[in-house]
Amino acid sequence: KAGVTQTPRYLIKTRGQQVTLSCSPISGHRSVSWYQQTPGQGLQFLFEYFSETQRNKGNFPGRFSGRQFSNSRSEMNVSTLELGDSALYLCASSLASGRTDTQYFGPGTRLTVL
Amino acid sequence: AQRVTQPEKLLSVFKGAPVELKCNYSYSGSPELFWYVQYSRQRLQLLLRHISRESIKGFTADLNKGETSFHLKKPFAQEEDSAMYYCALRGNSGGSNYKLTFGKGTLLTVNP
């Protein structure tokens, strides 16, 4: 089975722009979670989608949003980019949204905001 | 609120020595605990979870509810164990508690 894929792998944007990141889960997985990874804050949960519905949300401003499509692919959007948004954005997929479901991570998208 | 603390940012041991990576958590209910590992230039992957009580690559971890700890141990470290290790917690009720909360990670270096 192919693993979780994320596109693009690298992205450079300037402050004020917006960006959209994409995540394709493992075939058959219906839950997708997004995380932000930075050297200072580590891995922080952004949000989780299951069957096209947002199930959980972390403590991030409204500039961060996401959605999930009927084929379980997910996108994350960040509007009005700030320097502090520079990070590795990881997505993870799992079969379902329960607490016992193992999350499988993608390679991440490295976003640099100049 | 749920919180995971990994007190050591860096841990360096020699090959063949025992290794223990510490993880303490804060959660009012009964959590599910995980250890994830990230080898150099590879993606984050699950190493083990307390509910399955299995040993992976020689690593074990025991959930100590009294001390709210889930330390990762291996009796004899190998050079290939060098990696970043993250402890993570998931709550036991619905809603936002199902999210994974990660510690900030411990970089383990096993020297020859």
Side-chain angles (χ1 to χ4, degrees):
Chain A
K1 252 187 197 177
V4 177
T5 57
Q6 292 185 244
T7 56
R9 293 293 310 279
Y10 302 91
L11 208 46
I12 299 175
K13 292 285 187 179
T14 55
R15 277 185 301 173
Q17 286 187 309
Q18 76 163 16
V19 67
T20 299
L21 312 181
S22 181
C23 172
S24 292
I26 292 172
S27 177
H29 284 194
R30 295 169 63 194
S31 171
V32 174
S33 298
W34 288 89
Y35 297 86
Q36 182 195 64
Q37 186 176 27
T38 58
Q41 298 300 317
L43 275 155
Q44 292 186 287
F45 174 78
L46 280 155
F47 29 66
E48 179 195 6
Y49 285 86
F50 177 75
S51 293
E52 302 179 66
T53 302
Q54 187 180 86
R55 291 289 294 267
N56 297 301
K57 191 176 190 305
N59 297 324
F60 279 81
R63 299 185 296 107
F64 292 81
S65 63
R67 59 178 176 168
Q68 186 180 35
F69 301 94
S70 58
N71 61 358
S72 294
R73 189 177 70 85
S74 177
E75 286 183 347
M76 190 193 94
N77 185 274
V78 187
S79 63
T80 320
L81 283 166
E82 300 177 0
L83 295 179
D85 297 333
S86 294
L88 182 67
Y89 291 87
L90 296 172
C91 87
S93 76
S94 58
L95 273 171
S97 188
R99 70 187 287 257
T100 60
D101 289 291
T102 298
Q103 294 196 355
Y104 296 86
F105 283 81
T109 293
R110 172 76 60 186
L111 172 64
T112 302
V113 182
L114 302 174
Chain B
Q2 51 196 60
R3 184 174 294 132
V4 176
T5 303
Q6 293 179 250
E8 302 140 329
K9 275 189 175 180
L10 304 169
L11 184 62
S12 183
V13 301
F14 285 102
K15 177 182 171 182
V19 63
E20 181 180 50
L21 291 93
K22 291 184 168 51
C23 172
N24 291 92
Y25 67 89
S26 172
Y27 183 66
S28 57
S30 183
E32 184 163 353
L33 276 298
F34 305 81
W35 276 99
Y36 279 81
V37 61
Q38 189 167 30
Y39 300 102
S40 179
R41 288 187 288 277
Q42 293 188 28
R43 60 186 69 188
L44 196 61
Q45 58 186 288
L46 179 67
L47 180 62
L48 55 79
R49 55 201 301 172
H50 93 270
I51 198 168
S52 45
R53 302 185 66 81
E54 55 190 346
S55 171
I56 305 293
K57 298 186 180 182
F59 285 98
T60 59
D62 289 316
L63 178 60
N64 185 322
K65 292 186 178 180
E67 295 183 359
T68 59
S69 68
F70 188 56
H71 302 329
L72 183 68
K73 299 176 185 179
K74 185 169 182 177
F76 307 103
Q78 303 299 315
E79 290 179 68
E80 55 265 30
D81 296 329
S82 295
M84 190 71 153
Y85 291 81
Y86 295 93
C87 182
L89 175 155
R90 182 181 280 163
N92 67 338
S93 58
S96 63
N97 282 337
Y98 277 177
K99 69 178 184 181
L100 266 179
T101 297
F102 285 86
K104 293 200 175 179
T106 297
L107 180 62
L108 173 66
T109 302
V110 181
N111 300 298

